[in-house]
Amino acid sequence: MTGIGRCRGVEMAVLIALLAQFAWPAQPELSVQDYCEISLKVSQLTEAHWTDRISLAQRHQGPMKDLDKQLASADSRYDRLRTQIYAQYGTTFQDYLRYGASHHGAIQGYLENNPQVRSAIEHAQRRVHSLREQLDPVMSRKRAAEARK
């Protein structure tokens, strides 16, 4: 290969490397501990979100469309707060999911070695599940009452 051919090969390799950098952004520089902290914070925030949804539904007097607007407003507020949690760690929800999928074993190992973290995450997730179940009958009663009017 001549000197010119080698230069073109090097130039092409540099070009490909630059294109790859922009086409496929690197995964965030999270640690397993960061991932678990995000999981806990988001679970706790989700618990607060569902508590607020129940409170809004129980207090609401009036048309369901007004309640739906209030719930949508609360959802937007909590979505912004969730986004801020991910941003505090320099990541996004999508990158958080990718990290979890590609580091599953390390995450499980961390949680086994840190049972207090595992317990806190599981507790928050159980509460969210319970809160979701509590909201369903409240909303059903309200919708049924409005339909009878």
Side-chain angles (χ1 to χ4, degrees):
M1 186 177 268
T2 66
I4 294 174
R6 266 186 289 217
C7 286
R8 286 188 183 161
V10 170
E11 289 171 356
M12 184 60 76
V14 169
L15 179 60
I16 290 170
L18 287 172
L19 287 174
Q21 180 180 1
F22 293 108
W24 296 284
Q27 279 194 332
E29 295 297 323
L30 287 178
S31 68
V32 171
Q33 181 178 349
D34 290 340
Y35 179 89
C36 292
E37 287 176 10
I38 292 169
S39 296
L40 179 57
K41 288 178 181 180
V42 168
S43 294
Q44 291 169 335
L45 181 66
T46 302
E47 184 178 350
H49 180 187
W50 281 91
T51 300
D52 283 356
R53 288 178 62 85
I54 290 170
S55 179
L56 282 169
Q58 289 173 334
R59 288 190 327 254
H60 182 75
Q61 302 293 319
M64 284 301 294
K65 67 179 182 175
D66 292 344
L67 175 57
D68 289 338
K69 288 177 186 176
Q70 290 176 7
L71 292 171
S73 176
D75 293 347
S76 293
R77 185 174 65 252
Y78 279 98
D79 286 346
R80 285 189 301 275
L81 292 171
R82 253 185 293 287
T83 298
Q84 289 174 4
I85 290 172
Y86 295 116
Q88 288 171 355
Y89 290 86
T91 193
T92 64
F93 176 64
Q94 291 79 16
D95 287 337
Y96 164 84
L97 292 177
R98 281 187 208 103
Y99 185 92
S102 63
H103 295 84
H104 180 74
I107 293 164
Q108 291 307 311
Y110 178 86
L111 292 172
E112 287 172 13
N113 292 327
N114 295 277
Q116 72 285 1
V117 176
R118 177 188 293 269
S119 178
I121 292 170
E122 289 173 349
H123 176 73
Q125 290 172 341
R126 281 192 304 274
R127 285 283 303 143
V128 168
H129 180 74
S130 173
L131 291 166
R132 285 181 176 168
E133 288 180 344
Q134 291 174 40
L135 183 61
D136 287 339
V138 171
M139 294 298 287
S140 292
R141 282 192 302 274
K142 290 194 171 286
R143 290 193 195 288
E146 185 169 280
R148 286 191 297 267
K149 289 181 182 179

